[in-house]
Amino acid sequence: RLSWVGVEGSLVAMVAETLHRGGAGVVVVGGRGGGVVGELHPKVAGAFDVSGAVYLIEIDLAELLPLSLKPRRYQALPRYPGTVRDIALVVDSGLAAQSLRRLIESFPLVAQVTLFDVYTGRQVAPGKKSLAYRIVYQSPTRTLTDEEVDESQRQILERLHRELGAALRT
């Protein structure tokens, strides 16, 4: 039989000879067994006069369906365009990237922050790293001016330097 170690659920037990050894897996969602998937053993396929590789998937919908019925949150598309700016910051190598992201996200005009590059090497001092973020500035009520975005970014850089010792990479 297939091993169901650590998996709970009401799946039909599969006989080891049914699936090709090493070519089978268990579908697990939230720690619960939700199905099996694998290549049918050649002897089983041959018993049904099937040639070539045959794959089988068994999904327990009664087990998995409740997990997919979680309410979805609707978010309207933004009415006003965003402005994208990239910044690269040099920080201590032990500082978590998430710390900088949380601080940047705390500003009211910041709609989205994405870390897109981490660099350590010759161009950065020993014990330091460079983190590059893409920041989307956006207002739900109007189009932002370049001056507003510049001022918000200046405030972000100032606070990053003051609170986390971050410096703009040159």
Side-chain angles (χ1 to χ4, degrees):
R1 293 183 163 223
L2 285 173
S3 171
W4 297 97
V5 177
V7 178
E8 296 178 14
S10 60
L11 292 174
V12 177
M14 299 294 291
V15 179
E17 293 82 33
T18 305
L19 298 177
H20 199 281
R21 187 178 198 121
V26 179
V27 177
V28 179
V29 179
R32 301 174 69 169
V36 293
V37 61
E39 182 179 353
L40 200 60
H41 195 283
K43 287 182 182 178
V44 175
F48 291 96
D49 291 327
V50 177
S51 62
V54 176
Y55 296 88
L56 154 76
I57 184 166
E58 178 183 341
I59 300 205
D60 186 343
L61 292 177
E63 193 72 33
L64 297 178
L65 192 59
L67 299 173
S68 70
L69 297 176
K70 293 180 181 175
R72 308 261 172 144
R73 292 186 353 207
Y74 168 77
Q75 183 176 2
L77 292 174
R79 182 179 180 129
Y80 300 96
T83 300
V84 178
R85 300 276 174 93
D86 293 344
I87 59 171
L89 304 164
V90 177
V91 297
D92 291 334
S93 60
L95 186 62
Q98 189 64 24
S99 301
L100 283 88
R101 181 181 177 166
R102 277 194 294 269
L103 191 145
I104 296 168
E105 287 175 333
S106 71
F107 282 78
L109 295 182
V110 174
Q112 184 180 358
V113 180
T114 306
L115 176 67
F116 69 88
D117 186 45
V118 178
Y119 173 79
T120 55
R122 292 182 304 180
Q123 297 174 1
V124 178
K128 301 284 186 179
K129 65 183 173 183
S130 172
L131 302 172
Y133 292 91
R134 176 157 291 134
I135 305 171
V136 178
Y137 296 90
Q138 195 166 32
S139 170
T141 60
R142 60 192 166 72
T143 301
L144 297 174
T145 65
D146 284 339
E147 291 77 20
E148 289 172 307
V149 174
D150 290 344
E151 178 58 21
S152 185
Q153 185 150 322
R154 186 194 62 72
Q155 291 173 5
I156 289 170
L157 291 170
E158 183 180 290
R159 190 164 160 209
L160 284 167
H161 179 71
R162 185 176 65 248
E163 294 183 21
L164 300 175
L168 194 59
R169 183 173 171 193
T170 55

